[in-house]
Amino acid sequence: MYAREIVDETFRLKALGLTDKAIATQCGVSIQAVRHWRYGNRRSPEKEAARTRYCPRCSGASINGEAYSYLLGAYLGDGHITEGRRGVHALWIFYDNRYPQLIAYCRAAMEAVFPLGVFMVKRNGCTAIKAVSKHWLCVFPQHGPGKKHDRTIALEPWQQAIVDKHSEALIRGFIHSDGCRVTNRIRKRLPDGGEKWYEYPRYHFTNVSTDIIGIFTAALDRLGIAWTIHANRRPPHQDALTVSISTKAAVARMDSFVGPKY
């Protein structure tokens, strides 16, 4: 049996982004041992303690507030959690394949929240960023049966304290996963019978859940960003609400920490 210090060191190195092979070499253990400590199913108290040490709800571990706020926004925007065997859950966040930089950004945020192996699952037109853990429900208690808009979505006090401090990261996660920055074009008729087109950028965030819309707009309010809301009339989003950020000052503020997708 390896010493507790060695087991803990493998988790610390994983949080820094090292591969399992590099961790095994540095700690002088087999790569099978490293993977078993992280993904194995032994239930001894020592092993179980090592598997929960990184969870801030089950231990005294700290959490990266900015990364967590971003991941929370991405999860509420276009993510979900599935349950596997032995109580292990998988967090899935879906990003359009046109935005490889955003995919890499989300992966880095997921790894910063939990020191886990993150997998990229290619789908038709999108990529799923996925990681498995027994503790996703600890940090995302909004998970439940059915679709998000069919159940209440409310932040717990500890979550609210984090997003109050990292509202920009929360909004960035919402926009990256299920929002957009677009150019709006308006035609204005001139007195001489001609016409002139005006273009200006604006941000949109669309969701069916009024609770999720409320979390998003509350973050905008904390940052003093003006917004409007309207119902959609066109399929397939006719049941959703869209938050629009279109004033010059508000768009400039959003551009300072979100910007267009790329």
Side-chain angles (χ1 to χ4, degrees):
M1 179 178 293
Y2 290 99
R4 163 64 42 221
E5 291 76 13
I6 294 177
V7 177
D8 290 345
E9 180 66 4
T10 65
F11 279 86
R12 188 187 72 83
L13 294 174
K14 188 62 179 179
L16 296 177
L18 274 69
T19 65
D20 289 345
K21 182 178 180 180
I23 294 171
T25 300
Q26 185 164 330
C27 294
V29 299
S30 68
I31 191 171
Q32 290 80 10
V34 171
R35 290 172 176 169
H36 180 74
W37 292 332
R38 189 166 298 108
Y39 310 117
N41 59 0
R42 294 182 184 177
R43 299 301 181 89
S44 68
E46 294 81 6
K47 299 282 186 189
E48 198 64 30
R51 292 166 63 89
T52 56
R53 191 175 298 277
Y54 63 82
C55 176
R57 306 301 296 166
C58 297
S59 69
S62 61
I63 191 167
N64 185 316
E66 183 170 2
Y68 175 76
S69 294
Y70 177 87
L71 202 60
L72 176 62
Y75 161 67
L76 293 177
D78 198 11
H80 68 268
I81 295 173
T82 57
E83 184 173 355
R85 295 181 299 171
R86 299 187 295 271
V88 176
H89 292 80
L91 173 65
W92 303 74
I93 309 291
F94 296 87
Y95 276 35
D96 193 304
N97 285 336
R98 292 177 296 173
Y99 309 118
Q101 294 287 351
L102 300 191
I103 293 171
Y105 192 99
C106 183
R107 177 175 185 168
M110 198 175 289
E111 291 174 336
V113 172
F114 276 176
L116 304 170
V118 178
F119 307 94
M120 316 301 286
V121 183
K122 295 295 183 180
R123 298 288 178 84
N124 185 23
C126 70
T127 295
I129 304 102
K130 173 189 176 184
V132 297
S133 172
K134 289 188 175 182
H135 300 282
W136 284 125
L137 300 193
C138 299
V139 294
F140 292 129
Q142 287 71 35
H143 172 69
K147 298 178 179 179
K148 296 190 194 84
H149 64 266
D150 289 332
R151 62 181 187 270
T152 300
I153 302 293
L155 300 183
E156 294 191 357
W158 66 268
Q159 292 178 294
Q160 191 64 59
I162 293 175
V163 301
D164 284 349
K165 187 176 181 180
H166 300 282
S167 295
E168 290 185 355
L170 178 71
I171 292 171
R172 191 159 54 243
F174 275 126
I175 296 295
H176 282 182
S177 65
D178 209 24
C180 61
R181 183 186 188 274
V182 299
T183 299
N184 201 45
R185 301 183 76 238
I186 296 179
R187 183 179 62 179
K188 183 178 180 180
R189 295 192 179 277
L190 301 176
D192 61 3
E195 60 183 33
K196 184 175 182 180
W197 287 91
Y198 294 90
E199 294 185 352
Y200 62 92
R202 69 193 306 172
Y203 284 85
H204 286 162
F205 176 71
T206 301
N207 205 280
V208 179
S209 169
T210 56
D211 290 340
I212 292 175
I213 289 288
I215 294 171
F216 178 70
T217 55
L220 294 174
D221 289 341
R222 285 193 295 273
L223 298 179
I225 297 174
W227 54 272
T228 58
I229 192 167
H230 64 270
N232 288 271
R233 296 185 177 87
R234 297 180 181 178
H237 304 297
Q238 63 269 26
D239 296 327
L241 295 173
T242 292
V243 176
S244 177
I245 301 159
S246 56
T247 68
K248 185 176 181 179
V251 170
R253 182 72 176 88
M254 291 285 288
D255 283 345
S256 70
F257 64 90
V258 180
K261 290 184 176 181
Y262 58 94

